[in-house]
Amino acid sequence: MTIPSLAVCTLPSSSSLFPSESTPQPWSQRFESALHPAIMAFNASISFDIALIEYDLTGSQAHARMLAHTGIITPAEASSLAAGLEQIRQEYRRGDFQPGLEAEDIHFAVERRLVELIGETGKKLHTARSRNDQVGTDIRLYLHDQIRQISAQVKQFQQALVSLAAAHVHTLIPGYTHLQRAQPLSLAHHLLAYFEMAQRDGQRLGEIAQRVNVCPLGSGALAGTSFPIDRYYVAAELGFGDVYRNSVDGVSDRDFAIEFLCAASLIMVHLSRLSEELILWASEEFGFVKLQDSCATGSSIMPQKKNPDVPELVRGKTGRVFGHLQGLLVMMKGLPLAYNKDLQEDKEALFDTVTTVKACLEAMTILLTEGVEFQTDRLESAVAEDFANATDVADYLAARGVPFRDAYQVVGQIVKACLAQGKLLRDLSLAEWQGFNPQFEKDIYGAIAPRQVVAARNSYGGTGFTQVEAALQEARSHLDASPPPTT
Ligand code: ARG
């Protein structure tokens, strides 16, 4: 196989500032020869940072307004810049703005097109600004927007959990520790555990959004600027809540991006744990859920198969989000102040994380809404056929004055005897119970029935039905207070 070599780019020579055949880059007055085509491709971020274009245009329009507001450019120049930038936005939305590699990045691409469109005035846009504070502004605007969208998706996911939980308050499911049957639970209680995780995810995103919402514009390349800019004005124009106090920090900081990747990783941890449970529950061995055809796939060779591809993919995609977090942490750890080109690597990590988390939240929300059917008969028998009520026997004795540790030992003997005889606790006669401890009365049978075992755990936050109803109510009022958008 032959690998085609990179074509040498032929560049338009639209102005003296921007590329011509002999001086292909905006900085080229200082340079004698053109960039090697492979290095040009290696250096360029336009193939992915085009995703920032709307934010870049909005940021530039606000910067232009600030330049006029402070008298650095005239109002007429600002209007011309604003109109040119708006035209680029329309071209992009129509699909007519497709900068090539020679543009290097979205910031140069926009500026070059602006000069083509409006001429000399276009060259004034970059006054009192550097790509370093510009790119920082763009990714903060992008991330703020994405966090808002992801938060809305988290709420939709929570809504799906609440609806499913509401249908299963009285469905019992074995609860596990060490993946060994432990104590029975209300299925709603189990599902609402994921609601709580998602609740923290939403809170975390909200907290991070505040730290994303700080404007670096005006930091310049690293040292600020000699122009009389108004940083608070431009920050307010863009909806930022604050400005960076230190220009070096302003162009070097990516803490907010790492925090976002942490929050995204935790969202994925939660989705992945739920996925793992659904995969187990859908197996023949558990048989707790049936996957609906709209959310399951078949095998190419085994006609009987119905595979849980959705939760498997979510579990699988979790790794790449963790990878992006790790990648950004390692990228940052050795960077001297201030801007270094390494920082260009933040974008693909962020973009892929955003795409992945959004896709996974959407898929899991659909799966919960229409893709799983709990097998209540199977669950009913599962909770009745084990020793998950053993703690309740110990509690029964403890409530009648036997110290819990002694009660625990007695129940250990009872379980051992049952196992030897192939019996469950409910199969013991009253005489057998009383042989272990005289405190046992007829009401022991009611006390160890699975439904009573669950109902009795009525401590705050426990699985007792009254608690679960209250938790559902609280979850609903949280969602009602700030409902997810309908679109
Ligand atoms: N494409 C660059 C990035 O993503 C923009 C900033 C470039 N700044 C510079 N000094 N080369 O980080």
Side-chain angles (χ1 to χ4, degrees):
M1 193 178 92
T2 53
I3 300 172
S5 60
L6 278 169
V8 179
C9 302
T10 43
L11 301 160
S13 50
S14 57
S15 79
S16 57
L17 175 72
F18 279 98
S20 68
E21 300 262 352
S22 57
T23 60
Q25 259 63 50
W27 62 82
S28 346
Q29 297 296 326
R30 178 200 190 286
F31 288 75
E32 306 264 304
S33 61
L35 205 52
H36 186 290
I39 298 301
M40 180 187 284
F42 182 68
N43 199 39
S45 51
I46 188 67
S47 62
F48 50 88
D49 67 16
I50 187 82
L52 294 174
I53 185 166
E54 297 268 355
Y55 306 99
D56 195 75
L57 292 166
T58 302
S60 287
Q61 285 170 327
H63 178 68
R65 286 197 294 279
M66 185 279 292
L67 290 177
H69 170 76
T70 50
I72 298 169
I73 62 173
T74 67
E77 287 169 331
S79 306
S80 165
L81 289 172
L85 290 163
E86 200 49 41
Q87 187 169 338
I88 297 172
R89 197 189 295 275
Q90 297 315 321
E91 287 177 357
Y92 171 73
R93 289 182 181 174
R94 283 198 307 271
D96 293 341
F97 183 64
Q98 292 169 349
L101 275 187
E102 72 286 352
E104 184 178 326
D105 61 21
I106 186 59
H107 324 295
F108 275 153
V110 166
E111 198 178 340
R112 174 192 294 197
R113 181 69 187 138
L114 186 66
V115 175
E116 277 170 13
L117 287 173
I118 67 167
E120 289 297 296
T121 307
K123 299 177 189 171
K124 293 201 169 183
L125 177 64
H126 213 49
T127 313
R129 185 176 74 168
S130 152
R131 277 186 301 160
N132 300 348
D133 54 351
Q134 186 180 0
V135 71
T137 305
D138 290 5
I139 52 173
R140 284 164 179 85
L141 290 173
Y142 161 82
L143 213 48
H144 201 259
D145 211 10
Q146 296 302 326
I147 286 176
R148 198 178 40 75
Q149 293 175 32
I150 294 171
S151 302
Q153 281 194 290
V154 168
K155 286 242 160 68
Q156 283 160 352
F157 171 65
Q158 288 182 294
Q159 182 68 67
L161 283 165
V162 165
S163 303
L164 201 53
H168 289 292
V169 173
H170 294 280
T171 305
L172 306 189
I173 186 170
Y176 295 80
T177 62
H178 312 268
L179 205 55
Q180 304 289 320
R181 294 238 180 125
Q183 293 168 346
L185 296 171
S186 150
L187 174 54
H189 191 54
H190 192 109
L191 293 171
L192 287 177
Y194 287 103
F195 179 94
E196 295 296 326
M197 296 175 221
Q199 185 73 2
R200 290 193 293 276
D201 288 329
Q203 285 166 356
R204 229 181 323 270
L205 288 172
E207 289 155 15
I208 293 167
Q210 287 180 26
R211 282 186 290 281
V212 171
N213 202 22
V214 180
C215 186
L217 208 55
S219 297
L222 77 168
T225 173
S226 54
F227 288 94
I229 59 171
D230 185 340
R231 292 193 55 207
Y232 286 97
Y233 177 91
V234 75
E237 289 284 293
L238 289 170
F240 282 107
D242 202 356
V243 303
Y244 273 84
R245 283 191 297 277
N246 180 301
S247 62
V248 177
D249 183 42
V251 291
S252 311
D253 175 33
R254 292 294 183 272
D255 291 358
F256 64 95
I258 292 173
E259 282 191 70
F260 169 73
L261 292 177
C262 284
S265 295
L266 279 169
I267 292 174
M268 293 305 296
V269 167
H270 301 150
L271 295 182
S272 187
R273 291 185 77 174
L274 177 57
S275 295
E276 172 66 14
E277 295 210 296
L278 289 169
I279 294 162
L280 283 174
W281 291 347
S283 69
E284 197 73 37
E285 286 69 14
F286 278 78
F288 292 173
V289 299
K290 202 163 113 204
L291 297 172
Q292 301 300 295
D293 291 357
S294 64
C295 294
T297 54
S299 153
S300 62
I301 176 169
M302 297 166 282
Q304 85 284 11
K305 290 288 292 292
K306 208 184 216 190
N307 294 328
D309 288 25
V310 171
E312 286 176 303
L313 273 173
V314 169
R315 188 179 58 184
K317 285 175 188 293
T318 299
R320 67 203 270 170
V321 174
F322 295 177
H324 293 316
L325 169 63
Q326 179 75 354
L328 214 57
L329 283 168
V330 175
M331 185 270 276
M332 289 299 289
K333 78 180 254 303
L335 281 192
L337 299 177
Y339 177 86
N340 299 271
K341 188 75 169 210
D342 314 45
L343 291 173
Q344 183 164 286
E345 289 290 307
D346 63 0
K347 281 159 216 66
E348 285 163 296
L350 286 174
F351 297 164
D352 186 63
T353 299
V354 163
T355 309
T356 304
V357 168
K358 283 168 124 179
C360 291
L361 277 167
E362 185 186 23
M364 287 301 277
T365 302
I366 294 171
L367 187 65
L368 292 181
T369 307
E370 61 172 75
V372 291
E373 190 194 319
F374 281 95
Q375 303 298 285
T376 45
D377 290 352
R378 169 83 189 109
L379 287 164
E380 187 83 23
S381 54
V383 291
E385 286 159 9
D386 59 22
F387 290 91
N389 48 4
T391 317
D392 301 84
V393 179
D395 288 350
Y396 178 98
L397 289 179
R400 282 156 186 76
V402 181
F404 180 80
R405 190 50 69 210
D406 292 342
Y408 170 91
Q409 297 297 356
V410 171
V411 181
Q413 289 163 18
I414 299 176
V415 170
K416 192 173 168 192
C418 282
L419 286 171
Q421 298 167 43
K423 285 182 174 174
L424 291 169
L425 291 171
R426 62 164 187 240
D427 301 326
L428 294 173
S429 68
L430 187 56
E432 285 173 310
W433 281 111
Q434 289 173 339
F436 287 105
N437 191 296
Q439 298 280 356
F440 285 118
E441 301 288 347
K442 259 202 348 259
D443 60 353
I444 182 64
Y445 294 102
I448 61 168
R451 208 153 287 282
Q452 172 55 27
V453 162
V454 173
R457 297 225 153 75
N458 205 25
S459 53
Y460 178 76
T463 193
F465 301 117
T466 318
Q467 290 298 323
V468 174
E469 292 285 9
L472 253 181
Q473 211 33 55
E474 211 176 305
R476 282 199 196 97
S477 45
H478 165 77
L479 291 175
D480 289 348
S482 52
T486 44
T487 53

